[in-house]
């Protein structure tokens, strides 16, 4: 019985370690996508450019509805945004060239960087939104 319990605990620990390693790999992949596709407008610190490109730091646009966030990456956004009383006027171009995996990775990175703490974005979630 002790051997069975020990084996079960070991399996749980290995699974947790795998999931943590997998999440870290997605985070690192997302950081690469961010550097190439997002950083020129949203800056290395995620604070954007005042009045032009919105911040990604602790806003409901980032931390809120994942479907809305995925749609922004897939379809872009044309209308001005007001975040914490400041208007941002530069449209965000659509990024349909990014794969579902790249979008999931970059949004997971953004939602867990710059002081943000939010759930991951999965490939299945991106695929579902892209399919609509």
């Amino acid at each position: 019985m002790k051997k069975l319990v020990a084996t079960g605990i070991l399996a749980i620990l290995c699974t947790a370690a795998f999931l943590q390693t997998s999440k870290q790999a997605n985070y690192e992949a997302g950081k690469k996508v961010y550097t190439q596709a997002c950083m020129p407008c949203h800056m290395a610190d995620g604070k954007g450019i005042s009045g032009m490109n919105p911040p990604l730091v602790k806003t409901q646009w980032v931390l809120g509805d994942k479907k809305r966030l995925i749609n922004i990456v897939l379809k872009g956004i044309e209308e001005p945004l007001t975040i914490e009383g400041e208007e941002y006027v530069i449209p965000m171009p659509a990024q349909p060239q990014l794969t579902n995996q790249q979008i999931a990775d970059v949004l997971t990175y953004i939602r867990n960087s710059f002081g943000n703490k939010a759930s991951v974005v999965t490939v299945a979630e991106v695929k579902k939104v892209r399919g609509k």
Side-chain angles (χ1 to χ4, degrees), residues 42-113:
H42 296 286
M43 305 289 104
D45 60 5
K47 292 182 179 176
I49 299 171
S50 182
M52 294 175 62
N53 305 104
L56 303 174
V57 179
K58 298 182 181 178
T59 73
Q60 282 306 309
W61 289 92
V62 171
L63 301 175
D65 184 11
K66 290 193 273 185
K67 290 177 190 171
R68 178 179 65 184
L69 187 59
I70 293 165
N71 264 315
I72 290 171
V73 174
L74 287 171
K75 298 175 184 169
I77 191 165
E78 294 290 324
E79 70 266 7
L81 302 176
T82 301
I83 299 174
E84 294 187 21
E86 185 168 359
E87 188 172 63
Y88 295 88
V89 298
I90 303 293
M92 179 174 155
Q95 303 294 316
Q97 78 283 1
L98 295 177
T99 66
N100 293 343
Q101 183 70 59
Q102 288 173 315
I103 293 171
D105 290 345
V106 75
L107 292 180
T108 295
Y109 172 76
I110 290 168
R111 287 169 55 89
N112 289 281
S113 295

Side-chain angles (χ1 to χ4, degrees), residues 20-32:
Q20 184 61 32
T21 301
S22 177
K23 183 178 176 183
Q24 185 65 30
N26 291 77
Y27 180 87
E28 292 300 322
K31 185 176 182 179
K32 287 180 185 175

